[in-house]
Amino acid sequence: MAANIIDGKAFAATVREKVAGHVARLKEEHGITPGLAVVLVGEDPASEVYVRSKGKQTVEAGMNSFEHKMDADTSEEDLLAVVEKLNNDPSVHGILVQLPLPGHLNEDLIINSIAPEKDVDGFHISNVGLLGTGQKSMVPCTPLGCLMMLRDYHGSLSGMDAVVIGRSNIVGKPMAQLLLGDSCTVTIAHSRTKDLPDVVRRADIVVAAVGRPEMVPGDWIKEGATVIDVGINRIERDGKNKLVGDVDFASAAERAGAITPVPGGVGPMTIACLLANTVTACCRANGLAEPEGLTA
Ligand code: NDP
């Protein structure tokens, strides 16, 4: 059986289109332009690429993009002051502090200084608690993107057995909460899980968020299961640099019912969901109805 390919690039384009539609309506009907502020500390090349891409897509969706670049040796006090200023700025609806931060800065402290309702990354402890208790929150972008693709493919996820491999605060744990929220029976696997192949073989939905190239082989996948591969791993093969996921795509596609490729699967959904979260935050800040289909 050859799996259906879940095209994250195409799906992300439809999410961005929806976002742009909502932005246009907010401007036209309410005179409001959603704004996203991104704070970058230091000169990490990968972070610079992400920030540039986020800024570009924010503007393309019709929103305001505010970029704050700060030196690598910025003090915690100065960074907290910038976040505070953005918290109090009514033209800013979403704030994202690009991670990782230089080692001398306390990431938890900085993230928790962002006003929870502007925390479009969904990492603030209040949002983590709200998600964990099934309440309205800002949801981390990558798991939100995975959920959107799963809902789009299956309609209802109710009663399905789901395994999330990985228990990070950024991907694994919020992914598991979202699947639970959609009434899946959820197992969270990690590096100490006993007999991981057996656990994965029972799942109708497999979300792999490990960070180990092609760790999940096809023979772990239940016939017809849906596989969401979050992993982004750079490897060298045949003398060439290549991006691969945490799942061995070729063998998994033989057994899965549907699978996301790497690249072109989960990756493009992350920034699209950041834009979606910014519009949602803007609507909530102004007491307006939230955009349908862009939240958890
Ligand atoms: P972390 O390193 O924070 O977490 C990895 C998790 O995998 C841990 O919970 C770890 O378990 C688990 N793990 C490690 N080895 C094994 C193993 N052999 N068997 C089972 N579980 C294992 O990674 P992230 O969650 O931040 O990211 C995961 C992957 O997703 C990475 O490749 C990253 O690049 C990618 N990513 C992609 C994004 C996108 O936009 N597409 C966004 C964010 C991440 P334990 O806790 O026991 O150590």
Side-chain angles (χ1 to χ4, degrees):
M1 171 178 174
N4 292 308
I5 307 299
I6 300 178
D7 184 344
K9 205 171 159 195
F11 194 71
T14 68
V15 172
R16 288 197 303 271
E17 241 169 70
K18 269 193 203 170
V19 168
H22 282 289
V23 171
R25 271 194 295 282
L26 280 167
K27 284 183 181 175
E28 214 175 284
E29 293 169 18
H30 304 281
I32 300 167
T33 305
L36 172 65
V38 177
V39 182
L40 175 65
V41 185
E43 280 155 17
D44 176 61
S47 294
E48 284 189 338
V49 171
Y50 287 136
V51 167
R52 218 174 302 132
S53 187
K54 285 167 185 171
K56 185 170 169 270
Q57 293 189 35
T58 303
V59 170
E60 281 169 1
M63 301 195 270
N64 289 327
S65 167
F66 309 102
E67 248 179 61
H68 294 264
K69 286 196 172 182
M70 303 182 77
D71 294 337
D73 60 358
T74 294
S75 69
E76 211 156 74
E77 201 186 358
D78 286 350
L79 179 53
L80 286 169
V82 166
V83 172
E84 185 59 18
K85 203 163 160 243
L86 297 171
N87 281 343
N88 294 322
D89 183 342
S91 66
V92 172
H93 304 96
I95 302 170
L96 180 151
V97 176
Q98 183 67 43
L99 301 179
L101 288 170
H104 66 285
L105 299 169
N106 179 338
E107 280 187 2
D108 286 341
L109 181 83
I110 303 297
I111 295 305
N112 289 323
S113 72
I114 298 172
E117 63 278 10
K118 295 192 180 188
D119 166 40
V120 280
D121 252 344
F123 297 157
H124 190 289
I125 194 73
S126 297
N127 283 316
V128 175
L130 289 167
L131 178 63
T133 49
Q135 298 180 71
K136 196 185 269 189
S137 64
M138 295 308 304
V139 175
C141 302
T142 301
L144 178 59
C146 297
L147 182 76
M148 281 185 188
M149 290 194 285
L150 284 166
R151 281 180 177 168
D152 182 67
Y153 188 75
H154 285 286
S156 168
L157 307 181
S158 181
M160 295 179 87
D161 287 321
V163 168
V164 180
I165 318 174
R167 56 174 163 180
S168 72
N169 291 334
I170 294 174
V171 188
K173 283 184 198 147
M175 185 74 245
Q177 297 285 5
L178 290 171
L179 291 167
L180 193 59
D182 270 27
S183 299
C184 291
T185 303
V186 184
T187 303
I188 307 178
H190 46 77
S191 66
R192 308 294 172 89
T193 296
K194 277 190 273 175
D195 202 353
L196 184 60
D198 189 51
V199 171
V200 176
R201 275 187 199 114
R202 280 185 263 130
D204 305 311
I205 294 171
V206 179
V207 181
V210 182
R212 287 175 170 250
E214 298 171 332
M215 188 194 92
V216 179
D219 68 359
W220 291 13
I221 304 297
K222 178 165 134 180
E223 200 75 46
T226 300
V227 178
I228 305 290
D229 192 351
V230 182
I232 301 178
N233 307 290
R234 276 163 231 282
I235 61 160
E236 208 188 293
R237 182 170 290 156
D238 306 328
K240 284 184 190 151
N241 290 323
K242 220 180 155 225
L243 274 190
V244 298
D246 291 339
V247 176
D248 177 40
F249 182 83
S251 61
E254 294 284 307
R255 290 171 66 93
I259 187 167
T260 59
V262 176
V266 176
M269 286 298 288
T270 299
I271 298 184
C273 287
L274 174 68
L275 306 181
N277 276 349
T278 305
V279 175
T280 299
C282 177
C283 291
R284 288 180 186 168
N286 289 284
L288 299 169
E290 286 175 23
E292 248 174 65
L294 296 180
T295 51

